[in-house]
Amino acid sequence: MMQCAAKKTLSISRMKVGGMYRSPFFSSQVVTKRYIHKVSLQLDYYMSPQFAGIAVALSNSLYQEAGMELNFLPICPVGLEMNAVRNHANNAASSKDVAAVSIGSVEQNIFVPTLQQYPGLGLNAVAAMFRRSPLCLASMANTDSSKRKNPTERLTVGVHEDSVSVIQKVLAADTNNSYSVLASPRSTKNTDLLQGKFDSVQAYLTTEVPTLERQVLSSKLMGTTVVAKPLEGMNGAKLGYSQVLFCPKEDLSEGGGKREVINSFLDVTFRGWEEAIRDPESAARSVDQCRAMLRLDEENNDHWHNSFDYTVQSVGLCGNFVKETFQGDRLGVIDAQRWNDATNWLLEDDNIPTNFGLDETEIWKPSSQLLAGNELARNTLEKAANSARAFCGTHDRKPSLAVVTVGELPRYTHGERRLQLYSNNDNSWFNKTSVGLANGFEVQEILLPPTTTTDELLSQLYTLDNDATVDGIQLMWPLPPQIDAAKAYNSISLDRDVDGAHYIGQLELGSPSTDNMSPFPLPPVTPMSIITLMDHHDVSISNRSILVVGRSRIVGSPLAHMLRERGAIVTVAHSQISSDKLESLVKSADIVVSCAGSPKLIKSEWIQEGTDVINCGSTFDYQSDTMCSDFDGDLASVANKYSPVPGGVGPLSVAFLLKNVVNAAQERVDNDANEWTRKIGCLHRTFHFPSYDAALIFANKVNSMSSALDHHANMTFSHKCVSGIYIDMNFFTFEANEVTDKDYKAARNVNAIFEKEQEKGGRIMMKNFTYDLNIDSIAKYPASPRGSSRLVRVDGEGSVSHYKNFSEAFVSLAKKGSHVVFNQSKVVNARLSVKEGEKG
């Protein structure tokens, strides 16, 4: 077995005075409580912002209040942390110290391969401080392109000795570049990068990248910026969790007391992280104090910036990674599927069992009562991000979203604080621009003044609706009272309505999506989030009485419709009904869904046994600095299952919004190929010709074009006798096993050939009747009053005639066989009714 070199113990146990503990941070405070349990902690690095939660818990005496004496084991050589924990646990067992517990921290990309190589270590991961690895490749981007290296040269990458193999694996999948991955000293890597020794270096987004940015500024390197590319997701890499907390497997068994100590340690540690997230400045002071006590100052390196503002920034960045581990009611939760996905990528061994190295006793798993939505939201967002990047790779642009807000929304008043406490800029509803940037979308947020009129809002929406670069439009609710909401939402085209404003109306009319060939109408994001959360946790809907409290056009009303479509018996209430009536409705429901946004509206004692509860409405209370739900009381004691606040429905909304955007973008691109339809794995169109000769001439021209493009179509000829000849044509890219941009290009070329053939046959072609019309001459809105529009007729000699009644004049002027051409009208909906003589 591996051996960890002995070093002087860096421990806070030396701060004990007799049977008392003197806090090293508050020297005047003497705690008289005796310790019950000893916890020895092996960190995988010196005390730093990545352990801010531990530092905060120490400075606030949380461990000692929980009856724990926390000692820090010596810093080990890289990669030997697991061995150190096992050795310490064995020594404690041999000395019959039954109250001693050993815990360590390490990254999953170290933990899993080490455990595979040394299964006798017998360790299990119980929690994680970071959901994803903060590892990245940092490089210098010079805006002077003449100074860049030849793109064909091998790029040199300096990495830590223990990371060479995993980074080689990540970069091996890059088909555009070749790399030389070299082991390099940790202590000088920033300097090595700045001096050009390496093209890029392994770094941490949370610590070393902020230092690099400061070093670049202080060195005044003109035109140079730091570029940090996360390794997680790069070329399909799955590194999994970081700062994984692990312990000996035997300590997790029931009985003996060690399991309870481990649970208590996790509880205190993540309470410390909650405080660090809430107050990064205080946490930074705790880190500095702990760092001095544990002698971080003894390490000589160039990737720590000696300033308090740097430590505060680093604590905040680490907190963003920690917040992503929140699931149900706690931080630090490891999702088994995510763990297994990373393990499979890291090991590539079919014989590795499921949950390899993971604690299957689930010591740190949220209650099964909780309808937790965080991990589901993150997975949904990751899938949307993957789809967006694939779309961009094919079409050379990102899916795009325009968010229009009129005035200040009340629920956004404390948006920045909510973002700090519960989310981050990669996945927050309150910063969609940065969420889009992080996940491969182009997002523009347009804020209009609260005095905006209906016409001004319509003008903005029409502009966006006719912008070819905009795939989706979200008009934020509520709107000011002077706005005609119906007009505003109806002005958004169905194919750009990513917030589901048209959803109910389209379903009532019979949506084209019922044939499963079109994604429209797209579902409203929050109701879809609720339905998905219920399905994910196996909450049955059909034949159950469901009370929906709230009736807004974007949540309550469409949700009620969607639940009815699933076979539920739905009652809709609202916050204005009497408390007695609401209580009666709640008591008779099998499921209660509240989306009223009215704190403590519903009393928990109204909930009947077996009832499932969905918290959708939430309000941020500034005084308590926390989120409040529509429910008052302890739901855990009465409900069968319930969604928590925070951590239930909320995180899902932005994920489903971006999912709708990428679906809308893909559909618009598919339709761009004119009359082609996208089927499974190919583009398809059927062409009709009156004879074989005409069909063969067309096919030969398509073949010539395909040869020049080096991309041929599959063509099938069908003879329909009297009806003529039909050619079924398919394009697909065999190598990619999917439809690519090359297929779309070929489809457009075929359309051009077909149009030319039709022109030769004497067919009327719309493009021959198009004309340029100044956009300022096109009406933006219907005439007011309705019916006052005039028809303008221009004859062959240029004479202009005006007719007051459009409908009557059109019938008299339009001759049989006339070809009618409409310009691209700015009017959202137009109808024309023409009657022919007495037959009607």
Side-chain angles (χ1 to χ4, degrees):
M1 183 175 287
M2 301 178 293
Q3 295 298 317
C4 181
K7 291 186 178 181
K8 182 179 178 181
T9 301
L10 301 176
S11 165
I12 64 169
S13 61
R14 52 187 164 81
M15 300 302 296
K16 285 195 299 178
V17 180
M20 299 178 293
Y21 179 85
R22 186 178 298 277
S23 170
F25 309 110
F26 306 101
S27 57
S28 62
Q29 178 185 12
V30 178
V31 182
T32 58
K33 182 174 181 178
R34 289 183 176 272
Y35 295 112
I36 302 172
H37 300 288
K38 295 179 181 178
V39 177
S40 297
L41 181 60
Q42 176 69 67
L43 302 179
D44 67 346
Y45 194 60
Y46 295 89
M47 174 56 70
S48 65
Q50 66 200 50
F51 303 115
I54 295 171
V56 170
L58 276 174
S59 66
N60 288 282
S61 305
L62 299 184
Y63 291 111
Q64 62 185 104
E65 288 174 5
M68 287 178 281
E69 175 189 359
L70 184 61
N71 298 303
F72 288 83
L73 298 179
I75 299 301
C76 268
V78 176
L80 296 182
E81 297 85 0
M82 296 166 66
N83 188 61
V85 169
R86 170 45 65 192
N87 287 343
H88 191 270
N90 291 345
N91 291 336
S94 63
S95 63
K96 298 183 180 180
D97 189 354
V98 295
V101 170
S102 303
I103 297 174
S105 74
V106 75
E107 298 181 12
Q108 185 179 351
N109 63 75
I110 300 296
F111 181 84
V112 168
T114 303
L115 195 61
Q116 181 191 36
Q117 187 175 4
Y118 301 99
L121 288 171
L123 302 170
N124 275 174
V126 292
M129 289 186 271
F130 293 4
R131 180 179 178 267
R132 54 191 169 96
S133 172
L135 279 173
C136 71
L137 292 184
S139 60
M140 297 292 106
N142 196 304
T143 55
D144 183 359
S145 60
S146 65
K147 296 180 181 179
R148 293 177 182 171
K149 288 191 173 184
N150 187 327
T152 62
E153 293 180 10
R154 291 178 68 85
L155 301 172
T156 57
V157 183
V159 305
H160 303 168
E161 184 178 0
D162 62 322
S163 302
V164 172
S165 60
V166 70
I167 293 181
Q168 283 178 331
K169 181 177 180 179
V170 173
L171 298 179
D174 188 343
T175 58
N176 298 319
N177 299 288
S178 57
Y179 299 88
S180 293
V181 179
L182 307 172
S184 63
R186 290 173 179 248
S187 60
T188 61
K189 61 182 178 182
N190 280 18
T191 302
D192 291 341
L193 178 63
L194 292 170
Q195 293 180 351
K197 185 176 179 180
F198 298 107
D199 293 300
S200 59
V201 295
Q202 171 188 346
Y204 288 86
L205 293 164
T206 51
T207 50
E208 292 151 348
V209 170
T211 298
L212 264 174
E213 291 169 342
R214 286 169 169 78
Q215 290 169 335
V216 167
L217 286 175
S218 63
S219 63
K220 298 180 181 179
L221 295 172
M222 298 300 294
T224 300
T225 57
V226 178
V227 176
K229 297 181 179 180
L231 287 176
E232 180 68 29
M234 183 185 292
N235 303 319
K238 296 181 180 180
L239 303 181
Y241 292 87
S242 187
Q243 297 310 322
V244 173
L245 295 169
F246 63 89
C247 67
K249 185 176 181 178
E250 64 270 17
D251 289 356
L252 294 167
S253 59
E254 298 287 351
K258 291 190 177 183
R259 179 180 176 85
E260 289 72 21
V261 177
I262 294 168
N263 187 81
S264 182
F265 170 83
L266 295 175
D267 176 64
V268 169
T269 296
F270 289 109
R271 277 197 285 139
W273 267 115
E274 288 176 6
E275 291 305 313
I277 291 166
R278 192 171 294 277
D279 188 353
E281 287 196 13
S282 294
R285 283 189 283 271
S286 295
V287 169
D288 283 346
Q289 291 170 328
C290 274
R291 187 168 55 185
M293 181 186 70
L294 298 176
R295 301 179 186 177
L296 177 64
D297 301 357
E298 294 179 358
E299 189 200 17
N300 183 22
N301 67 58
D302 66 356
H303 51 263
W304 292 102
H305 194 269
N306 188 24
S307 67
F308 183 66
D309 72 286
Y310 162 78
T311 307
V312 173
Q313 180 189 9
S314 183
V315 168
L317 292 172
C318 290
N320 285 338
F321 281 81
V322 176
K323 283 181 281 186
E324 292 183 353
T325 66
F326 189 86
Q327 178 75 341
D329 60 353
R330 64 192 65 191
L331 295 167
V333 178
I334 295 177
D335 178 72
Q337 185 60 57
R338 180 174 176 80
W339 177 272
N340 290 326
D341 288 345
T343 297
N344 292 335
W345 185 88
L346 290 163
L347 301 184
E348 293 184 325
D349 185 345
D350 294 338
N351 297 319
I352 291 295
T354 302
N355 298 336
F356 177 70
L358 187 60
D359 164 38
E360 293 190 294
T361 70
E362 299 180 333
I363 188 175
W364 197 240
K365 183 179 180 180
S367 166
S368 59
Q369 271 188 290
L370 293 174
L371 304 176
N374 292 81
E375 193 63 27
L376 176 61
R378 288 185 284 263
N379 290 334
T380 302
L381 184 57
E382 286 173 2
K383 290 177 182 177
N386 291 336
S387 296
R389 293 181 183 111
F391 178 91
C392 186
T394 300
H395 304 292
D396 199 28
R397 71 173 184 87
K398 297 178 180 179
S400 61
L401 166 69
V403 182
V404 180
T405 305
V406 184
E408 296 291 336
L409 300 183
R411 66 178 179 274
Y412 275 53
T413 303
H414 304 296
E416 288 187 10
R417 184 59 173 166
R418 291 172 66 171
L419 189 155
Q420 178 187 338
L421 295 180
Y422 306 117
S423 189
N424 60 47
N425 285 328
D426 289 354
N427 51 36
S428 172
W429 183 264
F430 296 100
N431 195 342
K432 292 169 188 168
T433 299
S434 65
V435 174
L437 182 64
N439 293 281
F441 291 81
E442 190 73 40
V443 179
Q444 57 173 316
E445 298 190 67
I446 301 168
L447 179 61
L448 301 178
T451 56
T452 299
T453 65
T454 297
D455 282 353
E456 289 169 339
L457 175 57
L458 289 174
S459 180
Q460 177 68 72
L461 294 173
Y462 290 146
T463 298
L464 293 171
D465 209 52
N466 286 276
D467 187 340
T469 66
V470 175
D471 296 306
I473 300 172
Q474 182 186 35
L475 176 59
M476 299 301 293
W477 180 265
L479 294 170
Q482 76 273 12
I483 299 290
D484 187 328
K487 277 188 177 181
Y489 280 101
N490 286 335
S491 72
I492 302 172
S493 295
L494 182 64
D495 64 350
R496 285 182 171 87
D497 176 24
V498 293
D499 208 14
H502 293 296
Y503 187 77
I504 295 178
Q506 287 297 312
L507 290 186
E508 292 292 349
L509 292 172
S511 167
S513 69
T514 55
D515 61 3
N516 295 320
M517 293 298 291
S518 169
F520 302 117
L522 293 165
V525 295
T526 301
M528 192 62 201
S529 299
I530 293 170
I531 297 289
T532 304
L533 183 69
M534 295 171 75
D535 288 343
H536 182 74
H537 290 281
D538 298 321
V539 176
S540 61
I541 295 174
S542 180
N543 203 36
R544 297 186 74 188
S545 297
I546 301 180
L547 172 65
V548 177
V549 184
R551 53 184 175 175
S552 75
R553 64 175 295 138
I554 59 172
V555 182
S557 293
L559 174 63
H561 189 101
M562 295 168 78
L563 291 170
R564 290 190 193 100
E565 290 292 306
R566 294 283 296 271
I569 304 96
V570 181
T571 301
V572 178
H574 50 81
S575 58
Q576 276 71 51
I577 68 172
S578 68
S579 179
D580 291 343
K581 183 63 176 177
L582 183 59
E583 178 181 356
S584 174
L585 292 172
V586 170
K587 286 182 175 179
S588 64
D590 299 320
I591 300 175
V592 178
V593 183
S594 184
C595 40
S598 180
K600 300 183 178 182
L601 176 67
I602 303 170
K603 308 300 180 184
S604 62
E605 56 263 30
W606 299 348
I607 304 297
Q608 300 299 296
E609 183 179 355
T611 301
D612 295 314
V613 174
I614 311 295
N615 276 301
C616 179
S618 59
T619 308
F620 187 80
D621 182 61
Y622 179 73
Q623 291 184 335
S624 63
D625 200 30
T626 190
M627 294 290 294
C628 299
S629 79
D630 291 347
F631 292 84
D632 182 24
D634 181 18
L635 287 175
S637 64
V638 292
N640 176 46
K641 292 182 178 181
Y642 68 97
S643 66
V645 172
V649 176
L652 286 157
S653 295
V654 73
F656 277 97
L657 174 63
L658 294 186
K659 179 181 178 181
N660 278 354
V661 172
V662 74
N663 284 343
Q666 187 61 63
E667 185 70 9
R668 291 186 66 241
V669 168
D670 290 347
N671 290 337
D672 187 50
N674 203 351
E675 297 175 36
W676 295 79
T677 58
R678 181 167 178 167
K679 296 187 175 181
I680 299 175
C682 72
L683 284 178
H684 172 81
R685 183 178 176 182
T686 300
F687 298 89
H688 173 261
F689 299 91
S691 66
Y692 259 122
D693 289 340
L696 288 173
I697 290 171
F698 170 74
N700 285 329
K701 291 186 176 182
V702 169
N703 183 60
S704 297
M705 178 278 297
S706 299
S707 297
L709 191 62
D710 193 25
H711 196 61
H712 289 81
N714 285 345
M715 290 184 277
T716 303
F717 289 72
S718 300
H719 187 202
K720 303 294 184 180
C721 297
V722 178
S723 300
I725 305 298
Y726 289 85
I727 298 180
D728 288 304
M729 189 174 298
N730 295 315
F731 277 108
F732 65 92
T733 303
F734 180 80
E735 296 85 352
N737 198 28
E738 62 180 357
V739 176
T740 67
D741 194 53
K742 204 170 187 179
D743 299 308
Y744 288 104
K745 182 177 181 180
R748 285 189 287 268
N749 291 348
V750 170
N751 286 345
I753 295 170
F754 182 67
E755 289 180 4
K756 287 183 179 180
E757 293 303 306
Q758 295 294 86
E759 288 178 9
K760 290 178 182 178
R763 296 284 298 275
I764 294 175
M765 303 301 296
M766 284 295 297
K767 71 175 186 177
N768 295 333
F769 292 86
T770 59
Y771 55 96
D772 292 327
L773 183 62
N774 191 309
I775 194 165
D776 293 333
S777 301
I778 302 175
K780 293 183 178 180
Y781 318 112
S784 181
R786 301 287 287 188
S788 62
S789 300
R790 292 189 299 169
L791 178 67
V792 179
R793 176 179 182 270
V794 183
D795 63 22
E797 297 180 356
S799 300
V800 179
S801 304
H802 297 272
Y803 299 85
K804 290 184 178 180
N805 190 301
F806 180 94
S807 300
E808 293 178 2
F810 184 86
V811 174
S812 65
L813 293 173
K815 298 178 180 179
K816 187 174 182 180
S818 296
H819 186 56
V820 181
V821 181
F822 287 95
N823 64 290
Q824 293 182 345
S825 176
K826 297 296 179 181
V827 179
V828 178
N829 294 306
R831 296 178 177 85
L832 177 65
S833 176
V834 178
K835 296 182 179 180
E836 290 188 30
E838 298 178 356
K839 296 182 180 180

